[in-house]
Amino acid sequence: MNKTLVAGLLAFALAGCASSQPEQPFTLTLAHINDTHSHFDPSDARLTLNNKAVYTRLGGFPRLLTYANQLRDQAAATDQALLFLHGGDAWQGTGYFKLYEGAMNADMLSQLKLDGMALGNHEFDLDNAHLAAFINGLDFPVLAANLDASRDPSLQDAENLTPYVLYAFNGSKKKRIKSVDEAGKQPVVAVMGLVLEDMANIAPNVGQVRFAQEVKSAQQTVNTLKEQGVKHIVAVTHLGLDRDRRLAEKVNGIDVIVGGHSHSLLGDFSELGWAQGEPYARQFTNPDGYGTTCVVQAGQFAQAMGQVAVTFTKDGRVAGCEGGNTLLADNQFYNDIRRGDKQQLSKAQQQQVIEAINEQPNITLVPEDATMRAYIDEQYRPALLSAYGDVIGHVPLTLKHTRVPEAGQASKVAPLVAASQLYWANTPEVQAVTGRRADFSLVAAGSVRNSLEPGALKEGHVSLELLPFANPISLVSLTGHQVAGLLLETINSAMGAKAHSGKFPYGAGLRYAFNETSRGRGYLARIEYLHQGQWQRIDPNASYQVVLTGYHASGNDGWNSVYQAQQVLTDRIDLAYVQDKLVSFPVARLSKNEQGAIEVHYIDQALDCQETAVECGTDARAFIEYVQDRRPMLTALPESGVTLKRL
């Protein structure tokens, strides 16, 4: 955002008031982050400045803390109201989460001094006992108005999990209150949370938690707050940009939606060589035709922070909503992603880059908070570094992971992941257990968590970062017709500007061409698979052995066609190691429980990935073995297998 904008927006005077609801206009500034995914350390980044590529690092929690404290100081100096919110998905993403299972997240998030956080889908990646410990370890509330945990033994007593929270403001000073009556003449802001209504289909371990409809629950909560006399309502959500817009257009009374889930960096970053996102702080008209709702989101991985100033009329309507996302950059720049001494820019070149950054409205140089940096380095980082294990190969050039192909450029990483799983499934060791030969593999873009940077590739880079979910690999029979249906379903649902792009399918031993006919819609022009070294058209009536992760083999994350194919009967097998021995777990069928969560019914012994002797992460093991055996110098495959013709 414009570097003078925060000061200008915070300069609105907060006048006195004559009742429990302020009679004078009120301005609230919201600082916000989302989808931080355990990126406590900064991320490597490529920027284009003055038509030249430069490399630096962005974000990380010590940098977030510095910037948040700057905003707090500015709010205090101008006596303005400020809240700092998180749009959910703090879990997963780096080796820190694999090692500390949410405990480090609770520690670091609390140090940021947040005022509230939405519950993301990845917060359900472990069991609810871990989630309860995480929630109870935070010093700020976790918000979810459409969640019922009353039947869940782990979460039913989590007092820090609440539908909404109320804050009363006296200038820049805020106080958490239980009712509007406590506020007296001070303006009150309610922050309510919303989680995915289809959480049970997306998250692997929801326990006995139930999820209600987003729009219906939101309107009911708003009505309850209005009846209490609350004029100003903020929704912190983990729904994705498309559903946030639907919420704004279907619900009366929400003033601002601070979102997450779709990793949307709103604003125009094309001058930095990044994409031009949708506009920041767009306002949508409520169904009553009277009120408006402002929608914001701040990208991913703790790289940026959003700031929006919302000015209200005397009767509590939104009069203005302005702000932007700001990338938080280091002050050291390089001409190569390796970022070594030889690649560092000269002092004169560094100064030119700094001057160019100072001219940009949506990036700023921010030092790391020294205390937090030292704390991470002393308390957590040593274990992370030792956990990375042996070198398995080398990456000579950056392999960028792009979820949905952009400008003809598909992911360089997802096809390698798919190739590793097909290779592994057809090794003699695995075939001796399965008795099958796999025809091709399919991988969802969202299951691949990052790009691969130049340098040594260690086991931990794969199991802790690239493929951190410890998924078993599955083999399942699908007809050509079912494969085509799956591709159409996942491509169409992943391509919209505000869609969940993690559903997008990549493959190995399979290639397809898709032609877009309207925005986010199209048809398959070709589907082929590699048979005995020759590409052949998929036969709609033929049956194929398809390699998938167990998560997507169950139809999770919107891969519904796979679920539908296995409701009555399946020949699927899941593969995991038990006491270091590869074991096949045959599946009989799939079903859904009362909450809509998909359940796997095994023929004999069930696969329990929580057992200490069981290693379910065959997806990561497959990639490690593939690199060691076939591609120790890891470069991109000659083709991605995806031909995508966009309008």
Side-chain angles (χ1 to χ4, degrees):
M1 67 178 292
N2 189 301
K3 295 183 175 69
T4 63
L5 184 56
V6 173
L9 295 172
L10 288 173
F12 288 102
L14 183 58
C17 49
S19 69
S20 62
Q21 297 182 5
E23 296 295 333
Q24 298 297 322
F26 168 61
T27 296
L28 170 69
T29 296
L30 300 170
H32 60 98
I33 53 179
N34 56 272
D35 296 281
T36 50
H37 286 296
S38 307
H39 281 254
F40 306 116
D41 294 328
S43 306
D44 292 333
R46 181 186 190 274
L47 303 173
T48 300
L49 294 164
N50 298 327
N51 296 318
K52 294 182 180 179
V54 295
Y55 298 85
T56 187
R57 308 200 82 187
L58 296 176
F61 272 49
R63 203 162 269 117
L64 287 180
L65 180 57
T66 295
Y67 199 64
N69 285 338
Q70 290 175 359
L71 295 181
R72 291 187 183 105
D73 291 344
Q74 196 167 27
T78 54
D79 202 28
Q80 298 301 300
L82 173 70
L83 289 173
F84 186 16
L85 303 174
H86 192 304
D89 266 9
W91 283 20
Q92 287 294 0
T94 72
Y96 285 123
F97 180 76
K98 296 287 285 188
L99 289 173
Y100 300 108
E101 297 185 322
M104 183 179 180
N105 292 85
D107 183 5
M108 304 308 300
L109 288 166
S110 294
Q111 291 190 42
L112 290 182
K113 299 181 176 64
L114 290 158
D115 297 304
M117 171 181 159
L119 197 60
N121 54 291
H122 283 292
E123 272 73 76
F124 288 94
D125 278 358
L126 301 179
D127 55 52
N128 284 353
H130 282 87
L131 178 54
F134 165 73
I135 291 173
N136 292 330
L138 297 169
D139 62 3
F140 57 86
V142 176
L143 307 169
N146 61 327
L147 176 150
D148 178 7
S150 61
R151 302 183 186 183
D152 189 87
S154 296
L155 291 173
Q156 60 186 357
D157 296 324
E159 296 182 0
N160 208 27
L161 177 62
T162 184
Y164 59 83
V165 62
L166 301 178
Y167 287 102
F169 284 93
N170 180 11
S172 63
K173 297 177 181 178
K174 66 176 180 287
K175 178 183 178 183
R176 183 174 172 179
I177 59 175
K178 292 183 179 180
S179 72
V180 175
D181 293 338
E182 295 180 43
K185 297 180 180 181
Q186 298 172 354
V188 174
V189 176
V191 185
M192 57 181 280
L194 288 168
V195 301
L196 291 159
E197 60 189 30
D198 53 347
M199 184 77 81
N201 288 335
I202 294 174
N205 301 297
V206 299
Q208 298 302 311
V209 179
R210 295 171 182 269
F211 303 89
Q213 293 179 357
E214 299 150 7
V215 170
K216 182 178 179 180
S217 298
Q219 190 64 73
Q220 290 174 341
T221 305
V222 169
N223 293 345
T224 298
L225 291 167
K226 293 291 187 182
E227 290 170 1
Q228 295 177 26
V230 178
K231 279 190 175 181
H232 313 300
I233 299 175
V234 176
V236 58
T237 74
H238 195 79
L239 309 178
L241 193 57
D242 195 34
R243 293 194 190 186
D244 283 342
R245 175 176 179 173
R246 181 187 70 162
L247 200 69
E249 294 176 332
K250 295 288 186 181
V251 177
N252 294 313
I254 299 175
D255 299 308
V256 188
I257 296 174
V258 175
H261 189 52
S262 53
H263 296 218
S264 302
L265 183 64
L266 301 182
D268 185 1
F269 291 81
S270 57
E271 291 297 318
L272 299 172
W274 287 34
Q276 179 175 340
E278 294 210 15
Y280 182 91
R282 286 183 66 187
Q283 289 182 253
F284 298 94
T285 303
N286 296 162
D288 61 10
Y290 182 68
T292 59
T293 301
C294 179
V295 176
V296 297
Q297 194 175 145
Q300 62 180 2
F301 302 161
Q303 296 173 343
M305 188 180 296
Q307 302 108 149
V308 60
V310 188
T311 306
F312 297 92
T313 62
K314 293 180 181 180
D315 61 353
R317 290 184 298 114
V318 175
C321 186
E322 300 181 63
N325 283 317
T326 303
L327 293 172
L328 311 181
D330 190 12
N331 65 353
Q332 296 297 314
F333 298 92
Y334 304 81
N335 58 24
D336 190 291
I337 193 65
R338 289 172 290 186
R339 299 176 64 255
D341 291 341
K342 294 181 179 180
Q343 291 83 35
Q344 190 167 6
L345 301 184
S346 66
K347 289 184 178 180
Q349 291 171 325
Q350 294 266 4
Q351 186 58 38
Q352 290 176 348
V353 171
I354 291 172
E355 291 173 359
I357 284 178
N358 289 335
E359 295 176 359
Q360 296 299 321
N362 48 18
I363 185 171
T364 189
L365 303 178
V366 179
E368 292 188 310
D369 181 87
T371 301
M372 180 179 277
R373 179 72 269 165
Y375 180 73
I376 293 173
D377 290 346
E378 293 171 7
Q379 297 294 321
Y380 295 111
R381 192 164 172 77
L384 181 76
L385 294 177
S386 65
Y388 275 82
D390 296 333
V391 173
I392 59 172
H394 290 79
V395 181
L397 297 171
T398 298
L399 297 174
K400 184 179 180 181
H401 176 49
T402 304
R403 289 188 169 192
V404 178
E406 299 173 356
Q409 296 298 313
S411 172
K412 304 293 186 186
V413 185
L416 287 167
V417 173
S420 72
Q421 294 179 7
L422 180 60
Y423 163 77
W424 183 82
N426 285 329
T427 58
E429 177 199 7
V430 177
Q431 282 192 301
V433 174
T434 65
R436 306 182 192 179
R437 180 164 185 82
D439 293 304
F440 49 84
S441 63
L442 287 169
V443 166
S447 62
V448 180
R449 301 310 295 176
N450 57 267
S451 301
L452 294 175
E453 304 299 339
L457 184 68
K458 296 182 178 181
E459 291 180 358
H461 288 126
V462 178
S463 60
L464 301 178
E465 296 181 359
L466 182 69
L467 301 168
F469 300 126
N471 275 313
I473 285 178
S474 300
L475 270 171
V476 62
S477 292
L478 296 175
T479 66
H481 180 76
Q482 290 167 336
V483 171
L486 172 63
L487 292 175
L488 276 173
E489 172 185 52
T490 52
I491 296 167
N492 282 325
S493 60
M495 283 205 315
K498 294 160 283 189
H500 176 28
S501 58
K503 299 178 183 180
F504 193 85
Y506 286 91
L510 180 87
R511 66 184 185 185
Y512 65 84
F514 182 90
N515 296 339
E516 190 176 36
T517 55
S518 62
R519 191 68 172 171
R521 287 290 181 268
Y523 67 94
L524 286 164
R526 184 184 71 250
I527 316 175
E528 298 175 320
Y529 81 108
L530 192 61
H531 179 62
Q532 297 180 352
Q534 300 293 322
W535 287 104
Q536 298 185 9
R537 285 186 175 274
I538 288 283
D539 182 346
N541 299 314
S543 180
Y544 300 93
Q545 285 294 309
V546 185
V547 183
L548 302 159
T549 66
Y551 181 69
H552 289 97
S554 294
N556 288 299
D557 203 21
W559 284 42
N560 300 309
S561 298
V562 189
Y563 168 75
Q564 293 168 1
Q566 300 175 79
Q567 287 185 79
V568 177
L569 185 67
T570 181
D571 67 349
R572 169 179 154 191
I573 52 177
D574 294 349
L575 295 164
Y577 285 90
V578 180
Q579 295 181 340
D580 294 324
K581 180 182 178 182
L582 185 63
V583 177
S584 171
F585 293 83
V587 177
R589 63 182 180 87
L590 304 178
S591 68
K592 291 186 178 181
N593 61 21
E594 292 181 359
Q595 299 136 280
I598 296 170
E599 295 184 337
V600 181
H601 301 274
Y602 290 94
I603 293 175
D604 299 314
Q605 180 183 2
L607 174 56
D608 184 358
C609 293
Q610 304 303 318
E611 290 286 340
T612 56
V614 177
E615 178 196 343
C616 278
T618 45
D619 58 344
R621 182 179 285 218
F623 193 85
I624 291 169
E625 292 185 10
Y626 176 67
V627 173
Q628 290 174 322
D629 297 347
R630 301 294 296 272
R631 302 182 71 86
M633 189 62 67
L634 190 61
T635 57
L637 295 172
E639 59 176 305
S640 68
V642 176
T643 301
L644 190 61
K645 294 183 179 179
R646 305 296 298 267
L647 292 177

